[in-house]
Amino acid sequence: MTYRVCFVCTGNICRSPMAESVFRARVAEAGLDGLVEVDSAGTGGWHEGDGADPRTVSVLEAHDYAGGHTARQFQPSWFSRLDLVIALDTGHLKALRRLAPTPKDAGKVRLLRSYDPAAGDELDVPDPYYGGLDGFEECLEMVEAASEGLLAEVREQTEGRVG
């Protein structure tokens, strides 16, 4: 049974595709790629059908991550097939919990940086869209740091599952 994780930001062209790419790499490195499915979406549909922001692609490629991506909008009907919905900031967290059809579905929504013990109370991944390349590098650092803790939880949740 496949364990499904979806990362969500605003437009699905910066933060969430970056998190998707990094986490997919972590899942593959852990040998869980046949068991864990990773994707991403946006709370809005402004960029639906577009590729990732060129700066996102540039930073991912510079750090040897895959960059292929097409933006899409998160749909409430997806909750039933997802195990975890990972929000990139508190605004996304609130929006996703409002969209959740049931309290159980709302419980699937978590903040990415809550998986990084070093994050403290700073749980938002800042939106790099309106800034320079350095904001995308900072975003990648935050995503990588949180991915280790998220992988540990996913590994624990998938123990005993057959792909």
Side-chain angles (χ1 to χ4, degrees), residues 14-29:
C14 296
R15 294 172 283 179
S16 58
M18 189 176 286
E20 174 187 356
S21 183
V22 169
F23 195 64
R24 185 175 285 127
R26 294 296 176 271
V27 164
E29 290 164 5

Side-chain angles (χ1 to χ4, degrees), residues 22 26 63 65 112 139-149:
V22 169
R26 294 296 176 271
H63 293 272
Y65 292 108
L112 176 63
C139 179
L140 179 64
E141 290 172 15
M142 291 178 180
V143 166
E144 287 178 329
S147 289
E148 297 306 317

Side-chain angles (χ1 to χ4, degrees), residues 29-47:
E29 290 164 5
L32 299 174
D33 46 344
L35 192 57
V36 179
E37 181 180 293
V38 182
D39 61 17
S40 66
T43 56
W46 310 279
H47 298 286

